[in-house]
Amino acid sequence: MIGDIIGFIGGLAVTLKSTWREPVTAEYPESDKRLNLEERYMGFPALTWDGDVEEPYCTGCMVCIRECPTQCMTAEMKDNPLYPEESRRRKIVDTFEINLGRCIICGICVDVCSFDAIEMSHEHELSKYERNGNRVDLQSLISMGRSYQQKVGWEPKNPGKNRGTPQVEENSQSAINDAEVTDSRSGEPMEGDECPDL
Amino acid sequence: MQIHETENETDGSIDLMINMGPQHPSTHGVFRLVIWVDGERIIKSEPHIGYLHRGSEKICESEHYSQIVTLFDRMDYVGNLNSELAFCLATEKIMDVCVPERAEYIRVILCELNRVASHMLFYGVYGLDAGAMTPILYAFREREKIQNLFESVTGARMMHNYIRIGGVKENLPRDFQQRLHEVLEHLKRGIEECDALISKNEMFLARTKGVGAISGADAIDFGVTGPALRASGVVEDIRVTDPYSIYDRFDFNIPVGTYGDCWDRFYVRVEEMRESVKIIEQAARDLPEGDISAAVRRIVRPPKGEVFVRTESPRGDLAVFLVSDGTDTPYRVKVRAPSFANLQALEQMLQGAYLADAVLILGSIDLIMGEVDR
């Protein structure tokens, strides 16, 4: 009996201790009380923008579309009008759509991209009233990506290969053609990754 | 609750059939339990599952190996990293891949943190089941710290997709050791606070002691594993009895209960949190430098064959049976989900208990319906 009362008092002491403590909860909608996002936070995917040549990094090579576990993306590529004078990219993305309502934010598209063209942005508050309200097109994906790039000071992971500015001294065309057909991790041509004709 | 009346054939009294769920707030998901009561005593019960069935095992057969990890995240959605680990271990075993040391240590640290987070959630929710509002607030405060740490490492708070075939996705952030140390200090205090809050509370003891007891032999017969089995006095923890990954390098105890009642099942988990913190401390101390992933190609094609891998998830023996036919998608993935097996013993535990204790007994098994239905 005495032991039971001691256990009860022990519990009360714990609650009593927290009575004078600052609250640890943050009241969400208020702008100064939101949780800080970590640097690696994965929000919805967005397309990056190459400010040097004013075009997206994405060439529309479709590797993210094939690897997406939920098939939430579609894309088309076109000939790059800026090639070869202003840009090294022979092909460029024409249309790109992601159904963000279907995206599971797994980050596989970012892993497989050989062009640093897609990144997990910090965008996450995208509630909409329509069922398909979160089908986003190329323009909004790029604007999501640009605000993310500005926020974190984004730099391409492989600038030598993926920057669009033409480099006179290097054999830049062959570099970008090679990148289309090789796997970023192993460097070997992938059997399953047939590349669209360039 | 829907109520039906049937006549009891033995003594002519009226038995009530009570439908608990599938939208009952205490069933921890969409789970339907049909209970027949004679007065206040439960004479028979019947669990109905399948409301959260998504066909994960079948979907696995049409996905690449690297994509399946995301499906395993969603099976046990409270112990995500532990589920990811089970599948990656199976694939690595069939491919005979040697995982780098550093990746193994990172996996152990994160999985044990995940175990603490999972048991913390159980602790809080079990308080609610018993009618105590305070514990869940304390539990979520601790769990939030762990999830913030996960966010800084994996980029996500729940669906990480961080453990990959052959290693982990990316290296730990630079300030990880310091942040981990802070979280562990916080956790140690938090676990003691949580323990002091209700574990010895007289009312809590009266609700849980001697309720829903199951003997060790019965538990083994039903295929119960994990904390629910250890609560019945059986020393069985796959991390010790059949070590996988690098668990044989750490020094920790297996908490064991005595009677297999609800309080034992509750307290085994509280003790297990302390042991997990011990493992994390040892792993963080020994964390080596080096590679974080073996050289594995993006589209994995394991050789023909089959493997069976057992791991200890927060809820018990999570085993994966994987059959490969040499293509880039598996031929069959079978998941032996601990929640599903533990659920089978529910009928035995409920037999003869009071109707008011049904929620407590159900809660003490720590079911995750995403894993039961898959």
Side-chain angles (χ1 to χ4, degrees):
Chain A
M1 183 63 197
I2 299 284
D4 294 340
I5 291 171
I6 288 171
F8 182 66
I9 290 172
L12 281 181
V14 173
T15 40
L16 205 63
K17 253 191 283 178
S18 60
T19 313
W20 290 280
R21 200 194 50 212
E22 284 283 300
V24 291
T25 43
E27 282 170 34
Y28 164 69
E30 289 178 36
S31 55
D32 59 328
K33 288 198 173 160
R34 295 187 177 194
L35 292 175
N36 293 323
L37 297 180
E38 302 287 343
E39 196 187 319
R40 285 187 186 176
Y41 177 79
M42 292 198 294
F44 287 106
L47 294 179
T48 51
W49 182 256
D50 192 345
D52 299 336
V53 283
E54 295 297 319
E55 64 180 17
Y57 273 89
C58 181
T59 59
C61 75
M62 308 271 286
V63 66
C64 50
I65 289 145
R66 278 197 301 273
E67 286 293 311
C68 177
T70 56
Q71 290 96 42
C72 69
M73 315 176 183
T74 52
E76 283 166 18
M77 66 159 59
K78 63 175 181 191
D79 291 328
N80 191 356
L82 301 178
Y83 176 82
E85 288 79 23
E86 292 166 61
S87 167
R88 286 163 66 197
R89 293 186 186 90
R90 214 181 267 199
K91 300 281 179 178
I92 198 80
V93 62
D94 185 22
T95 60
F96 203 107
E97 191 192 86
I98 304 184
N99 186 352
L100 295 182
R102 206 169 166 173
C103 174
I104 57 170
I105 322 186
C106 60
I108 287 179
C109 47
V110 180
D111 291 345
V112 297
C113 184
S114 318
F115 299 101
D116 298 332
I118 193 163
E119 275 291 339
M120 301 310 271
S121 70
H122 285 180
E123 206 73 51
H124 59 286
E125 290 167 325
L126 291 172
S127 305
K128 293 277 157 50
Y129 284 107
E130 304 88 47
R131 179 161 181 263
N132 279 327
N134 271 325
R135 294 181 91 98
V136 285
D137 61 354
L138 183 64
Q139 286 315 313
S140 35
L141 281 171
I142 287 172
S143 64
M144 273 163 72
R146 289 182 79 164
S147 60
Y148 170 75
Q149 281 170 294
Q150 275 173 8
K151 188 181 165 195
V152 298
W154 184 84
E155 286 292 324
K157 284 164 222 146
N158 197 347
K161 195 184 93 195
N162 289 335
R163 273 198 199 286
T165 34
Q167 289 156 311
V168 191
E169 68 275 17
E170 271 183 55
N171 191 359
S172 53
Q173 283 175 29
S174 69
I176 204 146
N177 287 347
D178 287 349
E180 289 267 0
V181 289
T182 55
D183 175 34
S184 59
R185 207 187 279 178
S186 64
E188 301 163 22
M190 298 299 296
E191 291 158 55
D193 287 357
E194 67 285 341
C195 186
D197 285 335
L198 289 176
Chain B
M1 283 188 187
Q2 282 179 21
I3 295 176
H4 299 278
E5 294 179 355
T6 50
E7 199 157 314
N8 191 328
E9 284 165 13
T10 47
D11 57 2
S13 65
I14 300 288
D15 291 343
L16 282 185
M17 187 197 92
I18 296 176
N19 228 338
M20 184 177 153
Q23 306 295 346
H24 192 277
S26 288
T27 52
H28 304 257
V30 271
F31 170 65
R32 176 172 161 224
L33 186 64
V34 184
I35 301 172
W36 284 267
V37 284
D38 181 13
E40 274 191 87
R41 293 275 181 186
I42 296 170
I43 51 172
K44 198 177 127 197
S45 61
E46 203 178 290
H48 287 247
I49 61 167
Y51 292 94
L52 208 58
H53 179 66
R54 295 153 294 176
S56 298
E57 286 182 7
K58 192 68 188 170
I59 299 173
C60 288
E61 290 166 20
S62 56
E63 302 267 323
H64 292 162
Y65 283 85
S66 53
Q67 297 173 331
I68 293 173
V69 180
T70 62
L71 288 170
F72 270 72
D73 261 337
R74 286 153 179 81
M75 282 186 195
D76 181 354
Y77 44 75
V78 181
N80 318 69
L81 286 161
N82 286 282
S83 326
E84 283 178 23
L85 179 67
F87 177 73
C88 289
L89 282 176
T91 318
E92 282 152 12
K93 192 173 173 189
I94 202 168
M95 289 170 66
D96 208 9
V97 173
C98 189
V99 180
E101 282 280 288
R102 185 173 170 83
E104 294 271 28
Y105 275 90
I106 294 174
R107 285 175 173 191
V108 166
I109 291 173
L110 293 181
C111 284
E112 291 305 313
L113 275 174
N114 211 166
R115 190 186 309 276
V116 178
S118 169
H119 285 344
M120 269 294 172
L121 187 73
F122 165 81
Y123 166 86
V125 173
Y126 201 59
L128 284 184
D129 284 345
M133 186 64 208
T134 323
I136 196 155
L137 302 172
Y138 284 77
F140 262 81
R141 191 186 67 196
E142 310 306 327
R143 191 165 174 268
E144 198 65 20
K145 301 273 175 208
I146 302 176
Q147 295 213 301
N148 283 340
L149 188 67
F150 280 158
E151 192 186 323
S152 77
V153 177
T154 68
R157 298 166 73 82
M158 279 182 85
M159 304 301 166
H160 310 284
N161 193 17
Y162 180 71
I163 295 179
R164 299 291 170 88
I165 298 157
V168 292
K169 180 181 162 195
E170 52 189 331
N171 216 332
L172 296 171
R174 230 170 284 120
D175 58 347
F176 177 76
Q177 285 279 10
Q178 189 211 334
R179 287 189 68 169
L180 178 69
H181 182 72
E182 283 167 20
V183 169
L184 284 183
E185 289 305 309
H186 198 91
L187 264 184
K188 279 191 234 167
R189 275 202 310 275
I191 293 169
E192 295 314 316
E193 249 182 37
C194 288
D195 190 12
L197 193 61
I198 58 168
S199 296
K200 299 287 190 303
N201 185 305
E202 189 190 355
M203 285 172 272
F204 185 70
L205 287 171
R207 286 296 309 272
T208 53
K209 275 273 184 194
V211 173
I214 186 165
S215 71
D218 276 353
I220 290 173
D221 286 350
F222 277 110
V224 175
T225 48
L229 175 65
R230 294 194 279 278
S232 301
V234 182
V235 186
E236 168 70 31
D237 186 326
I238 296 170
R239 290 174 294 172
V240 176
T241 52
D242 183 12
Y244 57 96
S245 192
I246 50 165
Y247 274 107
D248 46 350
R249 296 183 197 174
F250 304 115
D251 173 35
F252 61 100
N253 305 323
I254 309 176
V256 175
T258 332
Y259 306 108
D261 54 11
C262 284
W263 193 81
D264 276 344
R265 282 194 283 276
F266 166 82
Y267 204 65
V268 160
R269 289 190 173 92
V270 175
E271 289 278 359
E272 240 176 54
M273 287 197 270
R274 297 195 178 108
E275 298 303 320
S276 286
V277 170
K278 270 193 218 168
I279 299 176
I280 301 164
E281 278 180 334
Q282 292 170 48
R285 194 190 58 211
D286 302 340
L287 183 67
E289 293 297 322
D291 288 342
I292 49 149
S293 185
V296 176
R297 288 175 59 176
R298 197 173 71 220
I299 295 178
V300 169
R301 289 200 181 86
K304 273 188 185 179
E306 53 184 61
V307 285
F308 185 74
V309 170
R310 299 163 74 197
T311 61
E312 181 77 21
S313 95
R315 268 151 284 284
D317 182 351
L318 174 66
V320 176
F321 176 61
L322 178 69
V323 185
S324 163
D325 55 358
T327 60
D328 50 12
T329 56
Y331 180 75
R332 173 85 170 101
V333 179
K334 161 86 182 102
V335 183
R336 189 259 182 221
S339 295
F340 179 76
N342 293 357
L343 178 61
Q344 310 310 315
L346 181 67
E347 218 177 313
Q348 170 89 7
M349 294 176 192
L350 284 175
Q351 196 74 43
Y354 283 113
L355 177 63
D357 292 332
V359 166
L360 270 175
I361 296 169
L362 177 64
S364 72
I365 312 175
D366 194 13
L367 295 175
I368 295 294
M369 292 319 286
E371 197 181 43
V372 174
D373 296 335
R374 298 194 286 284

